[in-house]
Amino acid sequence: MFDELRKALKDWYKVHHRDLPWRHTNHPYAIWLSEIILQQTRVDQGLPYYNRFIERFPSINDLANASEQEVLNLWQGLGYYSRGRNLHATAKCIVDNYQGKFPSTYKELIQLKGIGPYTAAAIASFAYNLPHAVVDGNVYRVLSRYFGIELAINSSEGERLFKTLAQDLLDEAQPALHNQAIMEFGALQCKPVSPNCSLCPVVATCVALREDKIAQLPHKVKKIKTKQRFFVYHLVRNAKNQLAFTKRKPKDIWEGLFEFPLLEFKSEAEQITFLKDKVQVGAAYKHILTHQKITAYFIIDNFPAAADTEVIYLDLADLEYHPIPRLIDKFLNAHRHQIFSVGQ
Ligand code: SF4
């Protein structure tokens, strides 16, 4: 299966690849430049930038001797300006530390600013023909579809599996050609939408096509953003030394549990501003839930009760019959004596 796919990719590439200037050279400077420009950029958009950079800075020394301003001016319009800054910083580093000669091992390449595993593998294989498999979005797509792998490509297990698979598949005798071929195949043939399956050289052995899973592959897990919340709990005592509690409302965390009267703020800045001059009990509590991160403070103060906030006063002993969130429980365990020793 591996041999057939390797050969098919190379044969396909020889006929169908795009003629791009960085494919006519194995000079590491030109390859590096093209790879940095093409990160997060389409080929048709990046091509004129590549040509302008090569013309204006034909060697790494020329780039290193330019001012950052000059480099950024030429970069203008490409976006992600940190890439332009890293490009300049890396050129200077290579001139200063490697006498202007591009490092030639994966281990050295990956130490350079702006060069991650993909770019290091690309330079190592395209410039030095070293056997490092590239794994970019195109490679993930081709591998997941051809082998019918449903493991999410953005899970750590998935990343490991696809990297190992890409490396096992690599044609070690021709790593540059192999890497170019699989990426180009993903970009032009096995496209994200409407892949050209009817004219695909591996149509007979493609698992996704056979099992009708093309649209679902590659699989990605949706990463849910963690929401930050900023709480200030009010410790309010009555004459009987009972504490005020409120019951949490539906459609939010801890529905139906009891907590101290709460003010929630939209940002840390608002929370901190509010806390000025307030009497705090304990330090900030950080509480992490599946998709929420809460920063909570506890203060001794009257509660500016909203009309719909129903407050009940409870002896702490009554909490046995009133469920409370773990955050409140932790706080009470650490500070229950302090609450009653501070004046109000
Ligand atoms: S048959 Fe279709 S899905 Fe399978 S590798 Fe070829 S282009 Fe991609």
Side-chain angles (χ1 to χ4, degrees):
M1 209 172 185
F2 277 21
D3 281 343
E4 188 204 344
L5 179 57
R6 267 186 213 119
K7 183 171 179 326
L9 289 171
K10 276 185 294 184
D11 291 348
W12 175 91
Y13 181 78
K14 283 173 193 162
V15 177
H16 298 282
H17 74 268
R18 290 166 289 185
D19 187 17
L20 298 167
W22 49 86
R23 290 189 172 149
H24 293 288
T25 176
N26 60 358
H27 199 286
Y29 171 64
I31 288 165
W32 166 66
L33 200 54
S34 71
E35 289 297 338
I36 302 296
I37 287 173
L38 292 178
Q39 285 169 4
Q40 291 131 338
T41 302
R42 290 193 321 274
V43 167
D44 58 339
Q45 194 197 355
L47 183 57
Y49 283 87
Y50 172 82
N51 288 333
R52 262 177 254 149
F53 265 87
I54 283 286
E55 199 185 330
R56 173 71 188 79
F57 308 117
S59 75
I60 195 148
N61 282 299
D62 299 318
L63 180 57
N65 291 334
S67 69
E68 187 179 276
Q69 196 51 52
E70 225 180 323
V71 175
L72 292 183
N73 283 348
L74 212 55
W75 192 269
Q76 201 171 311
L78 260 184
Y80 302 101
Y81 284 81
S82 59
R83 285 188 294 160
R85 270 188 217 101
N86 285 341
L87 189 83
H88 188 229
T90 294
K92 278 171 153 329
C93 165
I94 291 172
V95 167
D96 292 346
N97 303 323
Y98 296 88
Q99 294 79 47
K101 200 173 166 300
F102 228 90
S104 60
T105 64
Y106 181 91
K107 228 172 140 184
E108 289 169 301
L109 287 165
I110 201 149
Q111 307 290 335
L112 299 170
K113 251 189 173 174
I115 296 189
Y118 161 77
T119 309
I123 300 171
S125 62
F126 302 158
Y128 304 110
N129 221 21
L130 291 170
H132 293 279
V134 291
V135 188
D136 72 346
N138 290 315
V139 175
Y140 276 123
R141 189 165 55 257
V142 173
L143 295 180
S144 70
R145 284 179 176 169
Y146 182 76
F147 292 102
I149 302 168
E150 294 183 22
L151 203 57
I153 58 172
N154 58 343
S155 64
S156 40
E157 209 186 329
E159 264 178 42
R160 266 198 307 279
L161 181 129
F162 280 100
K163 269 188 187 151
T164 308
L165 181 58
Q167 193 62 37
D168 290 346
L169 181 69
L170 182 72
D171 180 348
E172 295 205 354
Q174 296 176 297
L177 177 59
H178 173 96
N179 278 339
Q180 294 278 19
I182 191 167
M183 287 199 292
E184 192 77 337
F185 185 82
L188 303 182
Q189 179 83 22
C190 194
K191 295 175 289 185
V193 179
S194 313
N196 195 0
C197 301
S198 56
L199 291 175
C200 177
V202 291
V203 67
T205 41
C206 174
V207 176
L209 184 72
R210 190 172 65 229
E211 296 182 359
D212 196 17
K213 285 183 181 160
I214 290 171
Q216 290 101 63
L217 295 176
H219 179 57
K220 261 190 175 183
V221 275
K222 277 202 189 105
K223 296 216 165 145
I224 299 172
K225 251 181 94 190
T226 301
K227 186 179 171 192
Q228 303 263 5
R229 300 184 73 171
F230 307 96
F231 287 3
V232 176
Y233 282 115
H234 290 61
L235 305 165
V236 186
R237 271 179 0 221
N238 67 9
K240 293 187 211 160
N241 260 349
Q242 293 172 311
L243 280 176
F245 283 85
T246 58
K247 194 174 180 182
R248 282 195 69 89
K249 303 215 162 70
K251 294 192 187 141
D252 198 353
I253 53 167
W254 304 332
E255 179 184 344
L257 303 195
F258 287 84
E259 64 183 357
F260 305 123
L262 168 70
L263 278 188
E264 180 166 359
F265 294 85
K266 288 200 179 75
S267 68
E268 189 180 13
E270 281 180 31
Q271 185 189 39
I272 298 298
T273 308
F274 175 81
L275 286 169
K276 264 192 207 150
D277 310 324
K278 298 282 190 289
V279 180
Q280 274 180 47
V281 178
Y285 269 69
K286 303 270 181 194
H287 193 74
I288 294 172
L289 301 167
T290 315
H291 301 304
Q292 304 197 15
K293 192 171 163 194
I294 297 166
T295 305
Y297 288 87
F298 295 81
I299 61 168
I300 304 253
D301 200 5
N302 289 321
F303 183 62
D308 63 342
T309 310
E310 205 177 305
V311 174
I312 56 165
Y313 283 87
L314 297 170
D315 286 317
L316 289 188
D318 292 340
L319 287 179
E320 220 181 299
Y321 311 103
H322 295 83
I324 56 174
R326 222 177 110 56
L327 169 65
I328 302 289
D329 191 36
K330 276 198 296 191
F331 170 79
L332 281 172
N333 283 338
H335 298 288
R336 72 173 61 212
H337 298 298
Q338 221 176 324
I339 300 169
F340 297 100
S341 62
V342 182
Q344 202 173 336

